[in-house]
Short mmCIF file of all heavy atoms in Angstrom, two decimals:
data_model
loop_
_atom_site.label_atom_id
_atom_site.label_comp_id
_atom_site.label_asym_id
_atom_site.label_seq_id
_atom_site.Cartn_x
_atom_site.Cartn_y
_atom_site.Cartn_z
N GLU Q 271 -8.28 12.87 22.46
CA GLU Q 271 -8.32 14.20 22.04
C GLU Q 271 -7.30 15.07 22.66
O GLU Q 271 -6.73 16.06 22.09
CB GLU Q 271 -9.71 14.74 22.14
CG GLU Q 271 -10.67 14.12 21.24
CD GLU Q 271 -10.25 14.07 19.81
OE1 GLU Q 271 -9.76 15.11 19.29
OE2 GLU Q 271 -10.45 13.04 19.10
N GLU Q 272 -6.95 14.80 23.93
CA GLU Q 272 -5.95 15.58 24.59
C GLU Q 272 -4.54 15.42 23.90
O GLU Q 272 -3.89 16.53 23.85
CB GLU Q 272 -5.87 15.11 26.11
CG GLU Q 272 -4.90 15.93 26.97
CD GLU Q 272 -4.91 15.41 28.39
OE1 GLU Q 272 -5.16 14.26 28.66
OE2 GLU Q 272 -4.45 16.23 29.26
N TYR Q 273 -4.27 14.30 23.43
CA TYR Q 273 -2.98 14.09 22.71
C TYR Q 273 -3.06 14.83 21.31
O TYR Q 273 -2.09 15.52 20.98
CB TYR Q 273 -2.73 12.62 22.54
CG TYR Q 273 -2.36 11.82 23.75
CD1 TYR Q 273 -2.72 12.31 25.07
CD2 TYR Q 273 -1.77 10.62 23.62
CE1 TYR Q 273 -2.42 11.55 26.14
CE2 TYR Q 273 -1.46 9.81 24.69
CZ TYR Q 273 -1.77 10.29 26.01
OH TYR Q 273 -1.52 9.46 27.07
N ASN Q 274 -4.21 14.67 20.65
CA ASN Q 274 -4.32 15.31 19.35
C ASN Q 274 -4.28 16.85 19.50
O ASN Q 274 -3.74 17.57 18.67
CB ASN Q 274 -5.56 14.87 18.71
CG ASN Q 274 -5.57 13.51 18.03
OD1 ASN Q 274 -4.43 12.98 17.95
ND2 ASN Q 274 -6.65 12.95 17.63
N ASP Q 275 -4.93 17.32 20.55
CA ASP Q 275 -4.94 18.85 20.76
C ASP Q 275 -3.56 19.32 20.92
O ASP Q 275 -3.11 20.40 20.49
CB ASP Q 275 -5.78 19.16 22.01
CG ASP Q 275 -7.27 19.01 21.72
OD1 ASP Q 275 -7.64 18.89 20.49
OD2 ASP Q 275 -8.05 18.97 22.68
N ALA Q 276 -2.73 18.56 21.74
CA ALA Q 276 -1.31 18.94 21.90
C ALA Q 276 -0.52 18.92 20.59
O ALA Q 276 0.31 19.85 20.28
CB ALA Q 276 -0.61 17.94 22.88
N ALA Q 277 -0.83 17.90 19.76
CA ALA Q 277 -0.11 17.84 18.45
C ALA Q 277 -0.56 19.05 17.61
O ALA Q 277 0.31 19.72 16.91
CB ALA Q 277 -0.51 16.55 17.69
N LYS Q 278 -1.88 19.41 17.59
CA LYS Q 278 -2.30 20.52 16.80
C LYS Q 278 -1.75 21.87 17.30
O LYS Q 278 -1.45 22.73 16.50
CB LYS Q 278 -3.84 20.57 16.74
CG LYS Q 278 -4.47 19.44 15.91
CD LYS Q 278 -5.97 19.59 15.78
CE LYS Q 278 -6.65 19.20 16.95
NZ LYS Q 278 -8.15 19.13 16.88
N LEU Q 279 -1.68 22.02 18.66
CA LEU Q 279 -1.03 23.16 19.24
C LEU Q 279 0.39 23.30 18.83
O LEU Q 279 0.84 24.43 18.38
CB LEU Q 279 -1.15 23.11 20.74
CG LEU Q 279 -0.65 24.36 21.49
CD1 LEU Q 279 -1.33 25.68 21.09
CD2 LEU Q 279 -0.72 24.17 22.95
N TYR Q 280 1.14 22.28 18.90
CA TYR Q 280 2.53 22.23 18.46
C TYR Q 280 2.62 22.69 17.01
O TYR Q 280 3.42 23.54 16.58
CB TYR Q 280 3.15 20.91 18.70
CG TYR Q 280 4.44 20.61 17.95
CD1 TYR Q 280 5.61 21.33 18.35
CD2 TYR Q 280 4.57 19.74 16.91
CE1 TYR Q 280 6.83 21.09 17.73
CE2 TYR Q 280 5.72 19.48 16.25
CZ TYR Q 280 6.82 20.09 16.62
OH TYR Q 280 8.06 19.96 16.03
N ASN Q 281 1.86 22.05 16.14
CA ASN Q 281 1.82 22.38 14.73
C ASN Q 281 1.51 23.84 14.38
O ASN Q 281 2.13 24.48 13.54
CB ASN Q 281 0.94 21.47 13.93
CG ASN Q 281 1.30 20.05 13.93
OD1 ASN Q 281 2.53 19.68 14.13
ND2 ASN Q 281 0.37 19.11 13.69
N SER Q 282 0.54 24.44 15.20
CA SER Q 282 0.20 25.77 14.96
C SER Q 282 1.25 26.73 15.34
O SER Q 282 1.31 27.87 14.76
CB SER Q 282 -1.16 26.07 15.70
OG SER Q 282 -0.90 26.19 17.19
N LYS Q 283 2.11 26.39 16.17
CA LYS Q 283 3.27 27.20 16.62
C LYS Q 283 4.44 26.92 15.65
O LYS Q 283 5.17 27.94 15.33
CB LYS Q 283 3.66 26.90 18.09
CG LYS Q 283 2.68 27.24 19.07
CD LYS Q 283 3.08 26.78 20.47
CE LYS Q 283 2.06 27.08 21.53
NZ LYS Q 283 2.52 26.75 22.93
N LEU Q 284 4.70 25.67 15.27
CA LEU Q 284 5.85 25.35 14.43
C LEU Q 284 5.78 25.90 13.08
O LEU Q 284 6.75 26.47 12.53
CB LEU Q 284 5.90 23.85 14.29
CG LEU Q 284 7.09 23.29 13.49
CD1 LEU Q 284 8.47 23.70 14.18
CD2 LEU Q 284 6.99 21.79 13.29
N SER Q 285 4.58 25.87 12.43
CA SER Q 285 4.41 26.36 11.05
C SER Q 285 4.84 27.75 10.80
O SER Q 285 5.78 28.07 9.93
CB SER Q 285 2.89 26.14 10.60
OG SER Q 285 2.75 26.62 9.28
N PRO Q 286 4.45 28.74 11.63
CA PRO Q 286 4.88 30.17 11.38
C PRO Q 286 6.37 30.33 11.72
O PRO Q 286 7.05 31.17 11.09
CB PRO Q 286 3.98 31.02 12.30
CG PRO Q 286 3.51 30.00 13.33
CD PRO Q 286 3.31 28.72 12.71
N VAL Q 287 6.88 29.56 12.63
CA VAL Q 287 8.28 29.74 13.00
C VAL Q 287 9.15 29.20 11.74
O VAL Q 287 10.13 29.77 11.45
CB VAL Q 287 8.62 28.88 14.21
CG1 VAL Q 287 10.13 28.66 14.35
CG2 VAL Q 287 8.06 29.55 15.48
N ILE Q 288 8.67 28.11 11.20
CA ILE Q 288 9.44 27.58 9.96
C ILE Q 288 9.33 28.49 8.80
O ILE Q 288 10.27 28.75 8.06
CB ILE Q 288 8.92 26.18 9.62
CG1 ILE Q 288 9.22 25.18 10.76
CG2 ILE Q 288 9.52 25.69 8.25
CD1 ILE Q 288 10.71 25.13 11.04
N ASP Q 289 8.11 29.09 8.61
CA ASP Q 289 7.97 30.07 7.57
C ASP Q 289 8.89 31.25 7.75
O ASP Q 289 9.41 31.87 6.88
CB ASP Q 289 6.45 30.58 7.45
CG ASP Q 289 5.56 29.51 6.98
OD1 ASP Q 289 6.09 28.52 6.34
OD2 ASP Q 289 4.37 29.66 7.14
N HIS Q 290 9.09 31.77 9.06
CA HIS Q 290 9.92 32.85 9.38
C HIS Q 290 11.40 32.49 9.02
O HIS Q 290 12.11 33.24 8.45
CB HIS Q 290 9.81 33.22 10.76
CG HIS Q 290 10.61 34.41 11.19
ND1 HIS Q 290 10.52 35.65 10.80
CD2 HIS Q 290 11.81 34.32 12.00
CE1 HIS Q 290 11.54 36.35 11.32
NE2 HIS Q 290 12.28 35.65 12.06
N LEU Q 291 11.79 31.29 9.41
CA LEU Q 291 13.13 30.87 9.06
C LEU Q 291 13.40 30.80 7.64
O LEU Q 291 14.45 31.21 7.10
CB LEU Q 291 13.38 29.38 9.70
CG LEU Q 291 13.64 29.29 11.17
CD1 LEU Q 291 13.79 27.91 11.64
CD2 LEU Q 291 14.87 30.12 11.64
N ALA Q 292 12.40 30.32 6.84
CA ALA Q 292 12.52 30.38 5.38
C ALA Q 292 12.79 31.66 4.79
O ALA Q 292 13.56 31.84 3.78
CB ALA Q 292 11.24 29.76 4.79
N SER Q 293 12.26 32.72 5.46
CA SER Q 293 12.41 34.08 4.91
C SER Q 293 13.77 34.69 5.45
O SER Q 293 14.30 35.76 4.84
CB SER Q 293 11.26 34.96 5.38
OG SER Q 293 11.34 35.15 6.82
N GLN Q 294 14.39 34.13 6.45
CA GLN Q 294 15.59 34.70 7.06
C GLN Q 294 16.82 33.99 6.68
O GLN Q 294 17.94 34.59 6.78
CB GLN Q 294 15.40 34.60 8.55
CG GLN Q 294 14.31 35.45 9.16
CD GLN Q 294 14.47 36.90 8.82
OE1 GLN Q 294 15.54 37.47 9.16
NE2 GLN Q 294 13.47 37.56 8.25
N LEU Q 295 16.76 32.72 6.18
CA LEU Q 295 17.97 31.99 5.87
C LEU Q 295 18.20 32.06 4.33
O LEU Q 295 17.44 31.55 3.51
CB LEU Q 295 17.82 30.52 6.21
CG LEU Q 295 17.59 30.25 7.76
CD1 LEU Q 295 17.34 28.76 7.99
CD2 LEU Q 295 18.76 30.86 8.50
N PRO Q 296 19.24 32.85 3.95
CA PRO Q 296 19.46 33.12 2.49
C PRO Q 296 19.65 31.88 1.69
O PRO Q 296 20.28 30.83 2.19
CB PRO Q 296 20.74 33.97 2.48
CG PRO Q 296 20.87 34.54 3.86
CD PRO Q 296 20.22 33.55 4.76
N ASN Q 297 19.21 31.91 0.46
CA ASN Q 297 19.43 30.82 -0.55
C ASN Q 297 18.87 29.41 0.00
O ASN Q 297 19.52 28.40 -0.28
CB ASN Q 297 20.91 30.72 -0.91
CG ASN Q 297 21.41 32.01 -1.56
OD1 ASN Q 297 20.79 32.68 -2.40
ND2 ASN Q 297 22.61 32.47 -1.08
N SER Q 298 17.77 29.45 0.65
CA SER Q 298 17.34 28.19 1.28
C SER Q 298 15.87 28.08 0.95
O SER Q 298 15.21 29.05 0.61
CB SER Q 298 17.56 28.10 2.79
OG SER Q 298 16.66 29.06 3.41
N ILE Q 299 15.42 26.82 1.04
CA ILE Q 299 13.99 26.50 1.09
C ILE Q 299 13.76 25.66 2.44
O ILE Q 299 14.37 24.66 2.52
CB ILE Q 299 13.44 25.80 -0.21
CG1 ILE Q 299 12.00 25.35 0.06
CG2 ILE Q 299 14.31 24.66 -0.52
CD1 ILE Q 299 10.98 26.54 0.06
N VAL Q 300 13.01 26.27 3.30
CA VAL Q 300 12.69 25.54 4.50
C VAL Q 300 11.22 25.40 4.62
O VAL Q 300 10.43 26.36 4.60
CB VAL Q 300 13.23 26.32 5.76
CG1 VAL Q 300 13.01 25.55 7.09
CG2 VAL Q 300 14.79 26.66 5.61
N LEU Q 301 10.69 24.22 4.77
CA LEU Q 301 9.29 23.93 4.60
C LEU Q 301 8.71 23.19 5.79
O LEU Q 301 9.28 22.15 6.12
CB LEU Q 301 9.07 23.06 3.36
CG LEU Q 301 8.33 23.76 2.22
CD1 LEU Q 301 8.53 22.99 0.92
CD2 LEU Q 301 6.83 23.65 2.52
N TYR Q 302 7.63 23.63 6.35
CA TYR Q 302 6.81 22.93 7.28
C TYR Q 302 5.92 22.07 6.50
O TYR Q 302 5.19 22.46 5.54
CB TYR Q 302 6.02 23.91 8.15
CG TYR Q 302 4.90 23.20 8.92
CD1 TYR Q 302 5.11 22.50 10.04
CD2 TYR Q 302 3.60 23.26 8.44
CE1 TYR Q 302 4.12 21.86 10.70
CE2 TYR Q 302 2.48 22.64 9.10
CZ TYR Q 302 2.81 21.93 10.28
OH TYR Q 302 1.78 21.33 10.89
N ILE Q 303 5.83 20.77 6.86
CA ILE Q 303 5.00 19.78 6.06
C ILE Q 303 3.89 19.30 6.94
O ILE Q 303 4.21 18.64 8.03
CB ILE Q 303 5.86 18.67 5.53
CG1 ILE Q 303 7.00 19.20 4.67
CG2 ILE Q 303 5.03 17.63 4.80
CD1 ILE Q 303 8.01 18.12 4.28
N ASN Q 304 2.66 19.54 6.58
CA ASN Q 304 1.51 19.20 7.42
C ASN Q 304 1.22 17.64 7.17
O ASN Q 304 0.78 17.22 6.09
CB ASN Q 304 0.32 19.98 6.96
CG ASN Q 304 -0.97 19.51 7.66
OD1 ASN Q 304 -0.98 18.71 8.56
ND2 ASN Q 304 -2.04 20.16 7.32
N ILE Q 305 1.56 16.88 8.20
CA ILE Q 305 1.29 15.50 8.13
C ILE Q 305 0.09 15.09 8.91
O ILE Q 305 -0.46 13.98 8.74
CB ILE Q 305 2.56 14.72 8.65
CG1 ILE Q 305 2.55 13.21 8.15
CG2 ILE Q 305 2.67 14.72 10.19
CD1 ILE Q 305 2.85 13.14 6.63
N TYR Q 306 -0.39 15.92 9.76
CA TYR Q 306 -1.56 15.70 10.61
C TYR Q 306 -2.82 15.41 9.76
O TYR Q 306 -3.47 14.37 9.95
CB TYR Q 306 -1.86 16.89 11.48
CG TYR Q 306 -2.94 16.62 12.58
CD1 TYR Q 306 -2.53 16.29 13.97
CD2 TYR Q 306 -4.25 16.65 12.29
CE1 TYR Q 306 -3.51 16.05 14.89
CE2 TYR Q 306 -5.20 16.36 13.24
CZ TYR Q 306 -4.90 16.15 14.51
OH TYR Q 306 -5.81 15.86 15.48
N ASP Q 307 -3.18 16.29 8.86
CA ASP Q 307 -4.47 16.18 8.12
C ASP Q 307 -4.46 15.01 7.24
O ASP Q 307 -5.48 14.30 7.30
CB ASP Q 307 -4.64 17.53 7.34
CG ASP Q 307 -4.92 18.70 8.18
OD1 ASP Q 307 -5.42 18.48 9.34
OD2 ASP Q 307 -4.66 19.84 7.75
N PRO Q 308 -3.48 14.61 6.38
CA PRO Q 308 -3.64 13.47 5.53
C PRO Q 308 -3.77 12.21 6.41
O PRO Q 308 -4.60 11.34 5.97
CB PRO Q 308 -2.33 13.42 4.77
CG PRO Q 308 -1.42 14.38 5.36
CD PRO Q 308 -2.22 15.40 6.11
N LEU Q 309 -3.05 11.97 7.53
CA LEU Q 309 -3.20 10.73 8.27
C LEU Q 309 -4.50 10.73 8.93
O LEU Q 309 -5.19 9.68 9.02
CB LEU Q 309 -2.02 10.64 9.24
CG LEU Q 309 -2.06 9.34 10.14
CD1 LEU Q 309 -2.10 8.07 9.28
CD2 LEU Q 309 -0.89 9.34 11.07
N TYR Q 310 -4.97 11.88 9.47
CA TYR Q 310 -6.23 11.95 10.12
C TYR Q 310 -7.38 11.56 9.16
O TYR Q 310 -8.36 10.87 9.57
CB TYR Q 310 -6.52 13.37 10.79
CG TYR Q 310 -7.67 13.38 11.70
CD1 TYR Q 310 -7.61 12.81 13.00
CD2 TYR Q 310 -8.81 14.06 11.35
CE1 TYR Q 310 -8.63 12.79 13.87
CE2 TYR Q 310 -9.87 14.12 12.24
CZ TYR Q 310 -9.85 13.48 13.45
OH TYR Q 310 -10.90 13.56 14.30
N ASP Q 311 -7.29 12.04 7.95
CA ASP Q 311 -8.32 11.77 6.98
C ASP Q 311 -8.36 10.32 6.69
O ASP Q 311 -9.38 9.75 6.54
CB ASP Q 311 -8.06 12.62 5.74
CG ASP Q 311 -9.25 12.57 4.74
OD1 ASP Q 311 -10.34 12.83 5.18
OD2 ASP Q 311 -9.07 12.00 3.56
N ILE Q 312 -7.18 9.63 6.57
CA ILE Q 312 -7.20 8.23 6.38
C ILE Q 312 -7.84 7.46 7.51
O ILE Q 312 -8.67 6.56 7.33
CB ILE Q 312 -5.70 7.69 6.28
CG1 ILE Q 312 -5.12 8.16 4.97
CG2 ILE Q 312 -5.66 6.13 6.25
CD1 ILE Q 312 -3.60 7.95 4.80
#
Side-chain angles (χ1 to χ4, degrees):
E271 291 308 317
E272 187 179 21
Y273 291 17
N274 282 348
D275 288 343
K278 288 186 285 188
L279 180 61
Y280 165 68
N281 291 341
S282 71
K283 296 175 179 180
L284 180 66
S285 179
V287 167
I288 295 303
D289 288 345
H290 178 72
L291 285 176
S293 69
Q294 296 298 307
L295 300 177
N297 302 315
S298 72
I299 174 70
V300 184
L301 244 160
Y302 164 81
I303 301 172
N304 176 3
I305 200 70
Y306 188 102
D307 291 335
L309 180 55
Y310 191 72
D311 190 58
I312 292 172

